[in-house]
Amino acid sequence: MGDLSRDIVPFNLDIERAIVAGKQLSPCQVERVTWSPDLKRLIVDFSRGVTLQLDPARLSELAGASPEQLNRVEILPGGLAISWPELDVDLHLPGLLVDLFGPGVWMSELGKRGRGRTSEAKARAARRNGARGGRPRKHPE
């Protein structure tokens, strides 16, 4: 059997390396979360200079929370989630952002906007398609 002692890294050094690696893999972390009584919003500041304002009434987990409770928020290790221990609520920010702005939502919104648009090119294409009998039926009779 080979000598494994040369491959053993002290445990603390291993943890430090993991923390550094994690920070490099996660380029946008939460730096600060504050409750704005004037705006009635949670203000989430990210490490890349981005700020997100969240209306807690739109998040079912926080809908009934008082301003005092909302102000007692913690950033979880790694900077990707925030927590309200008193309310037993944790929000994973990347997941929340995907829910709010993810590909499905984004594409749906683009589709809604495109539906009402008309142009001469669309009208010509519709006339050509109509002249050929229109759209094919999904279930031939």
Side-chain angles (χ1 to χ4, degrees):
M1 207 163 176
D3 181 19
L4 298 178
S5 62
R6 62 185 168 83
D7 295 329
I8 296 175
V9 177
F11 186 69
N12 288 341
L13 184 58
D14 226 13
I15 290 175
E16 288 172 22
R17 285 184 184 159
I19 290 170
V20 169
K23 286 181 180 175
Q24 290 170 350
L25 290 174
S26 178
C28 194
Q29 299 172 331
V30 176
E31 286 188 339
R32 181 176 51 243
V33 182
T34 54
W35 168 251
S36 171
D38 297 336
L39 298 173
K40 294 187 169 74
R41 298 280 191 271
L42 287 165
I43 310 298
V44 182
D45 294 316
F46 291 90
S47 59
R48 293 250 171 131
V50 174
T51 298
L52 178 67
Q53 294 183 20
L54 294 172
D55 180 357
R58 296 197 173 258
L59 300 170
S60 60
E61 303 92 335
L62 299 174
S66 71
E68 293 79 21
Q69 289 173 315
L70 291 169
N71 208 27
R72 290 191 285 272
V73 61
E74 299 174 2
I75 300 170
L76 295 179
L80 297 178
I82 53 180
S83 177
W84 291 265
E86 176 183 341
L87 300 171
D88 194 29
V89 173
D90 296 334
L91 284 181
H92 181 249
L93 276 299
L96 178 65
L97 293 173
V98 166
D99 287 348
L100 294 174
F101 305 110
V105 174
W106 182 256
M107 294 310 288
S108 173
E109 287 301 315
L110 286 176
K112 287 178 190 174
R113 291 178 185 180
R115 241 181 272 153
R117 307 278 189 214
T118 58
S119 68
E120 184 54 38
K122 276 188 175 183
R124 279 194 308 271
R127 284 192 293 273
R128 280 194 309 269
N129 193 32
R132 289 182 282 201
R135 287 187 178 168
R137 293 185 178 159
K138 289 185 179 181
H139 303 287
E141 296 174 8

